[in-house]
Amino acid sequence: MATTESKRQQRFASVIQQDLADIFQREGSAWAPDTLVTVTRVRVTPDLAIARIYLSLFNAKNKQLTIANIKSHAGEIRYKLGARIKNQARIVPQLEFFIDDTNEYVEHMDKLFEKISKEPRQED
C-alpha cells in the first residue's frame, strides 16, 4: 500500500520539522545532555493529529535511554511547539519520537561492502 502525503501534510510536516529543530537546538540539552539531536524527518497523519518525528542522535552514550527521555518530555516539547505554530495550525499534533538510524545502517553496509571487496575472489 503506497501512501503519498498531500501537499498540506508535507507543508505542515516541514513547519513542524523546522520549529522542532530550533527547539532542540536551543533547549535539547535538557532532554538529551551532551547529544546533538537532529530532526531528520517528520511524517504527519492525514488528519494532522499525529506527527511522527525521526531523530538522529549524535554522540548519545545510550540512544535508547536518550529517546526514552525525549519521549517522557513529549508533552513539554509539544507545548513549546504549540506556542510557535498556533497561528498556522488549528491543532497541535501529538508527537511520537523515533530514532532515525539510517546513518548507522549506511555505515554498517559500507563496512560490510568494504570487507567483502577485500576478500579474495573465488573462481566458479
Side-chain angles (χ1 to χ4, degrees):
M1 183 174 111
T3 56
T4 54
E5 292 181 89
S6 69
K7 288 274 182 248
R8 183 169 163 246
Q9 280 171 274
Q10 290 172 352
R11 270 197 314 271
F12 194 48
S14 177
V15 166
I16 290 171
Q17 184 168 355
Q18 288 174 332
D19 283 332
L20 281 178
D22 193 43
I23 289 167
F24 275 107
Q25 185 181 356
R26 291 167 188 254
E27 306 175 51
S29 60
W31 314 303
D34 304 323
T35 303
L36 175 64
V37 178
T38 308
V39 181
T40 56
R41 198 167 70 223
V42 175
R43 294 272 180 261
V44 183
T45 56
D47 63 359
L48 308 182
I50 299 171
R52 293 183 176 91
I53 293 98
Y54 295 86
L55 303 174
S56 174
L57 306 173
F58 185 72
N59 214 19
K61 289 171 183 64
N62 182 333
K63 289 186 181 188
Q64 296 306 324
L65 199 64
T66 302
I67 197 80
N69 196 37
I70 290 170
K71 285 178 180 180
S72 74
H73 289 89
E76 179 186 348
I77 297 167
R78 181 179 183 227
Y79 178 79
K80 290 175 187 298
L81 177 67
R84 289 165 173 257
I85 67 170
K86 64 180 183 279
N87 299 329
Q88 298 145 293
R90 276 187 307 116
I91 57 163
V92 180
Q94 281 299 126
L95 304 180
E96 295 178 355
F97 294 100
F98 301 93
I99 295 175
D100 182 349
D101 52 9
T102 311
N103 287 347
E104 284 92 356
Y105 179 76
V106 169
E107 283 175 26
H108 176 71
M109 295 309 287
D110 282 348
K111 285 177 185 162
L112 284 178
F113 286 128
E114 200 175 299
K115 186 177 167 193
I116 290 169
S117 70
K118 287 179 180 170
E119 289 177 0
R121 283 215 121 96
Q122 295 172 344
E123 298 298 317
D124 288 337

